[in-house]
Amino acid sequence: MAAGKLTQKEAETLYQKSQVSRTRFLAELIHAGTVSSADVAHTVSTVFAVPLLDLDAIDPQRLPKDLLDSKIASTYQVLALSKINNRLVLATADPTDQEAAEKIKFTTQMGVDWIVTEFDKLSRLIALHTQSASESLDSLTARIDEFDFDGIQLEEPTESSDLGSSDVEDAPVVKFLQRMLVDAFNMSASDLHFEPYENYYRVRFRIDGELREMASPPVAIKDKLASRIKVISRLDISEKRVPQDGRMKLKVGQGRFIDFRVSTLPTLFGEKIVIRILDPNNAKLGIDALGYEPAEKERLLHAIGRPHGMILVTGPTGSGKTVSLYTCLNLLNKPGVNIATAEDPSEINLPGVNQVNVNEKAGLTFAVALRSFLRQDPDIIMVGEIRDVETADISIKAAQTGHLVLSTLHTNDAPTTLTRLRNMGIAPFNVASSVILITAQRLARKLCPMCKELADIPYETLLEAGYAADEIDGSWTTYKPVGCSACNNGFKGRLGIYQVMPITEAIQRIILRDGSALEIAAQAHKEGVRSLRESGLHKAKMGLTSLEEVLAVTNE
């Protein structure tokens, strides 16, 4: 009125209408259209001393997408412009809307600073902003409704709770997650990574040891997707400040389930979630599928056929140690044998084996579990990892008292495993009398048989890689990756590279006199044990993998 844009009668009519409908006078004024949006914005900016902004000067593509939930933005007609420290800068046509301010403060746990804008421009920009986000998700899930989900479903928690909220049960998010899990399984991925960043969100699969970006959903779904995963994994959806671990299960056919191990990690811009695919069929592939050479396979089978002793599998994280151990357990799993395992956590469910998850917070450590196993009349014990001297000491004593013990260590190769045990404080005579075989392993990408090509590698390069001079006789050649529609940049699947070292009497004597890893390696080489590099070079010579891949995974 003071600005001359509204008569006394019009003002009174709008005021009465706002009282009847219990809305704000300014909201009625904006929606009535009696005064132009530009005039309302200028007047409100002056009266309430709030900065004025022309949204035509804003590039919609540069607006942050993850500061405010799209539902709140649409409901209260506000638009997030930026974040300064712990305060949100929001565009609105009505800075007197206390309900919107309180809701946003409660939801985001941040303060609110208003910027006044013209209502019609604000509405158009909000619609465009929310539509682009929904279209992005729709494009990712466009084929999901046509996808045959018959017999494929996530196992829901059985506990009754308030998990059916719209945030968690949002249909596009549920379908998107299910499709990602099915795609990862069908593509033989080992892990899924859901990664939030400041202005984008991505989903990556680890396929044949390499991470590949598979989807880039809108940032706005990151909290809903995290909540959905946490609900299915029976995690606390309200706790976002500390890492959590859980499991979930996907039914992929009649009576067939795939387990997933879930790990959440709070990051700067939300929770990163990594899902490990645990297919129990991997443990039932058989020892031939692991890629052991005939001599290596014979040594391993001889060792696991022994009534007592310790077998160690070594290698870095992700080198296939667990699959190797479970392949051995599957061979040993017979009705007349009592097998117990302690893992952190148990990755593969094997019926007939007593599996225990260690829980250090609750006091159930590897050492405590091992002591309990020895009172359970075991024949075979599997320890997920020897991390400390106490676990190593109990494992070795179990191996010396009539039990077959299988475990893992993080060492570079087989000879250094023995010196690692010595450095942990295990006496030489205990190491020599208990350890019967050590297998070091790596996983190398396998060349695609459909598109691999002959590689013209110079004689000097082959010699430098580790081939013997008399071995490079021209009777064989290496191959290189090319890439086709059936593979991943020239590779498809992975194969094992192994160093299988039995502990012979000669190696025992070196251990007893506290010999070095170099002495042990030299003696093992005399006995026909290939090093990891030599084993990898043999795989390249057979045309199973490339020389570059061997050099990369057996970096000596």
Side-chain angles (χ1 to χ4, degrees):
M1 284 172 55
K5 304 294 183 181
L6 196 66
T7 66
Q8 178 76 29
K9 185 176 181 180
E10 288 173 332
E12 289 176 355
T13 302
L14 288 173
Y15 178 75
Q16 290 172 1
K17 190 176 180 181
S18 68
Q19 292 296 303
V20 172
S21 60
R22 294 186 177 180
T23 57
R24 296 174 310 284
F25 170 75
L26 197 51
E28 289 294 339
L29 175 61
I30 291 169
H31 289 289
T34 309
V35 184
S36 69
S37 295
D39 287 336
V40 173
H42 280 86
T43 303
V44 169
S45 172
T46 303
V47 172
F48 294 101
V50 178
L52 179 66
L53 174 67
D54 184 1
L55 288 180
D56 286 340
I58 295 290
D59 180 2
Q61 298 300 321
R62 299 184 66 109
L63 286 172
K65 297 179 175 62
D66 59 342
L67 293 181
L68 193 62
D69 185 82
S70 58
K71 288 183 180 179
I72 294 177
S74 298
T75 301
Y76 295 102
Q77 287 295 287
V78 296
L79 185 68
L81 299 176
S82 65
K83 175 187 170 187
I84 300 176
N85 296 325
N86 199 38
R87 299 187 69 81
L88 284 177
V89 179
L90 303 174
T92 181
D94 183 6
T96 66
D97 190 349
Q98 287 300 314
E99 181 184 347
E102 293 302 322
K103 176 69 175 178
I104 293 167
K105 286 178 184 177
F106 178 77
T107 304
T108 64
Q109 295 297 301
M110 288 188 280
V112 172
D113 290 329
W114 294 120
I115 300 286
V116 173
T117 60
E118 298 173 35
F119 177 75
D120 52 355
K121 293 180 181 179
L122 178 64
S123 298
R124 284 197 301 270
L125 197 53
I126 290 172
L128 178 67
H129 201 53
T130 54
Q131 182 183 11
S132 63
S134 61
E135 283 177 353
S136 298
L137 187 57
D138 287 343
S139 67
L140 287 168
T141 58
R143 301 187 305 275
I144 291 181
D145 290 332
E146 302 171 11
F147 187 77
D148 183 13
F149 279 107
D150 184 31
I152 300 177
Q153 60 186 45
L154 281 165
E155 186 179 83
E156 302 282 349
T158 54
E159 296 88 347
S160 59
S161 64
D162 60 349
L163 301 181
S165 66
S166 60
D167 281 349
V168 175
E169 299 300 331
D170 187 277
V173 172
V174 172
K175 290 181 179 179
F176 175 71
L177 173 61
Q178 194 152 329
R179 182 57 190 262
M180 287 294 100
L181 295 175
V182 171
D183 281 352
F185 174 71
N186 289 336
M187 296 173 73
S188 301
S190 60
D191 302 86
L192 298 86
H193 292 240
F194 296 85
E195 301 171 311
Y197 296 95
E198 185 173 12
N199 296 316
Y200 70 102
Y201 190 74
R202 70 179 176 183
V203 181
R204 295 192 291 175
F205 294 174
R206 188 175 291 280
I207 302 172
D208 296 338
E210 286 194 334
L211 280 172
R212 297 172 56 189
E213 186 167 336
M214 304 305 298
S216 183
V219 178
I221 76 163
K222 65 178 183 179
D223 292 330
K224 293 179 181 179
L225 192 56
S227 295
R228 174 65 181 169
I229 293 171
K230 289 163 79 172
V231 164
I232 299 299
S233 308
R234 295 170 176 82
L235 301 177
D236 185 357
I237 63 173
S238 64
E239 181 56 79
K240 300 179 181 180
R241 299 166 298 175
V242 296
Q244 297 187 66
D245 295 304
R247 295 177 80 102
M248 60 185 181
K249 190 174 287 188
L250 181 72
K251 184 179 181 182
V252 293
Q254 187 64 35
R256 187 181 180 190
F257 291 89
I258 302 299
D259 285 321
F260 298 88
R261 189 180 74 195
V262 179
S263 172
T264 72
L265 179 70
T267 67
L268 283 177
F269 304 106
E271 289 181 285
K272 176 182 177 179
I273 299 177
V274 176
I275 301 178
R276 168 70 57 89
I277 300 176
L278 309 172
D279 187 354
N281 287 338
N282 287 341
K284 301 173 184 176
L285 292 174
I287 196 166
D288 292 325
L290 298 183
Y292 285 96
E293 295 298 315
E296 297 168 345
K297 174 185 170 183
E298 184 180 347
R299 292 175 196 146
L300 181 60
L301 290 177
H302 177 71
I304 65 174
R306 300 267 292 270
H308 58 83
M310 177 181 281
I311 298 171
L312 294 171
V313 180
T314 76
T317 301
S319 60
K321 299 189 298 296
T322 301
V323 172
S324 294
L325 283 177
Y326 268 94
T327 300
C328 294
L329 289 180
N330 197 47
L331 293 172
L332 297 167
N333 188 17
K334 298 174 182 177
V337 178
N338 179 21
I339 304 175
T341 74
E343 299 166 84
D344 183 22
S346 176
E347 294 189 0
I348 299 173
N349 180 26
L350 195 59
V353 174
N354 306 291
Q355 297 171 278
V356 174
N357 280 338
V358 302
N359 186 343
E360 295 191 2
K361 290 182 180 178
L364 181 57
T365 62
F366 280 115
V368 171
L370 273 170
R371 287 195 184 94
S372 180
F373 287 169
L374 294 175
R375 295 190 289 270
Q376 293 276 320
D377 186 29
D379 297 301
I380 299 166
I381 296 171
M382 195 270 271
V383 184
E385 182 185 348
I386 293 178
R387 297 176 179 171
D388 53 67
V389 64
E390 187 180 14
T391 304
D393 188 52
I394 300 170
S395 299
I396 282 175
K397 286 177 180 175
Q400 292 171 332
T401 54
H403 306 92
L404 184 64
V405 179
L406 290 77
S407 189
T408 71
L409 268 175
H410 285 94
T411 56
N412 291 328
D413 57 15
T416 55
T417 303
L418 295 168
T419 54
R420 166 74 175 140
L421 289 172
R422 285 288 297 112
N423 292 337
M424 290 177 72
I426 306 301
F429 63 86
N430 280 332
V431 175
S433 63
S434 59
V435 180
I436 58 175
L437 181 129
I438 301 172
T439 296
Q441 65 182 68
R442 300 289 189 275
L443 287 179
R445 291 179 296 170
K446 191 188 299 184
L447 284 169
C448 174
M450 305 294 292
C451 65
K452 67 180 182 180
E453 290 183 353
L454 294 175
D456 185 16
I457 300 177
Y459 174 88
E460 292 76 13
T461 303
L462 293 173
L463 202 62
E464 187 178 345
Y467 288 107
D470 58 350
E471 195 177 2
I472 311 172
D473 55 7
S475 63
W476 55 272
T477 185
T478 56
Y479 288 81
K480 64 181 180 181
V482 177
C484 65
S485 59
C487 66
N488 176 27
N489 297 324
F491 296 97
K492 187 173 184 180
R494 289 194 287 179
L495 55 86
I497 294 175
Y498 302 96
Q499 180 186 28
V500 182
M501 187 180 79
I503 307 304
T504 60
E505 289 186 7
I507 292 178
Q508 283 180 335
R509 285 194 290 271
I510 296 174
I511 296 170
L512 288 171
R513 61 179 173 82
D514 212 8
S516 67
L518 291 175
E519 293 178 84
I520 296 171
Q523 179 60 38
H525 193 268
K526 287 180 185 177
E527 296 172 0
V529 176
R530 286 192 180 117
S531 69
L532 282 168
R533 172 61 63 84
E534 290 169 339
S535 181
L537 292 175
H538 181 69
K539 293 287 197 298
K541 184 178 177 181
M542 294 170 65
L544 298 175
T545 188
S546 68
L547 180 61
E548 291 79 4
E549 182 71 6
V550 170
L551 297 179
V553 299
T554 62
N555 189 15
E556 293 182 347

